[in-house]
Amino acid sequence: GYEPVLCASAQEALDVASRGHFDIILSDIGLPHTDGYQLLSRLRQASPSLAHAPALALSGYAAEADVEAARAAGFDAHLAKPFEPGALAAALDELLARRGEESREESPRGEAPC
């Protein structure tokens, strides 16, 4: 049920983000010419829809310090590569469900904000 938008570079991701609405950010940490930490920061600044969107880091760097670095940079979760497709789907589902719960808690009548 996901409709992913794939980008070949960080710059393309920034360009695409500035033109659309997105529910979640999924980014590798090791990118050419930048890294996922910098990209996440720039995406949050470039797009109002991404300012508070849940973010999932993908990385071959999976030590506890790497997970902590991803969280410190603003990622909500970290998934170590290689991973099974089901693990990716479960992580995305969990982040989106958590976002839905937070939205309902913020609304006085349990309705999701527009």
Side-chain angles (χ1 to χ4, degrees):
Y2 297 108
E3 294 180 29
V5 176
L6 305 177
C7 299
S9 68
Q11 187 57 55
E12 182 181 358
L14 291 165
D15 293 342
V16 168
S18 69
R19 296 189 311 261
H21 174 83
F22 300 93
D23 297 315
I24 195 164
I25 300 166
L26 176 63
S27 178
D28 200 338
I29 296 299
L31 302 171
H33 311 295
T34 190
D35 60 40
Y37 310 125
Q38 293 171 347
L39 176 59
L40 178 61
S41 176
R42 293 176 65 195
L43 283 169
R44 294 208 186 280
Q45 294 171 1
S47 170
S49 73
L50 295 178
H52 301 289
L56 175 60
L58 303 177
S59 180
Y61 306 107
E64 187 60 35
D66 300 309
V67 174
E68 290 174 14
R71 290 201 183 266
F75 283 96
D76 298 287
H78 180 281
L79 189 59
K81 297 188 289 184
F83 53 84
E84 295 293 324
L88 175 59
L92 293 171
D93 288 344
E94 180 181 334
L95 286 174
L96 290 170
R98 193 181 321 158
R99 180 180 185 194
E101 290 169 8
E102 290 170 0
S103 294
R104 283 190 298 277
E105 290 171 3
E106 292 172 7
S107 178
R109 298 186 332 192
E111 299 171 357
C114 296

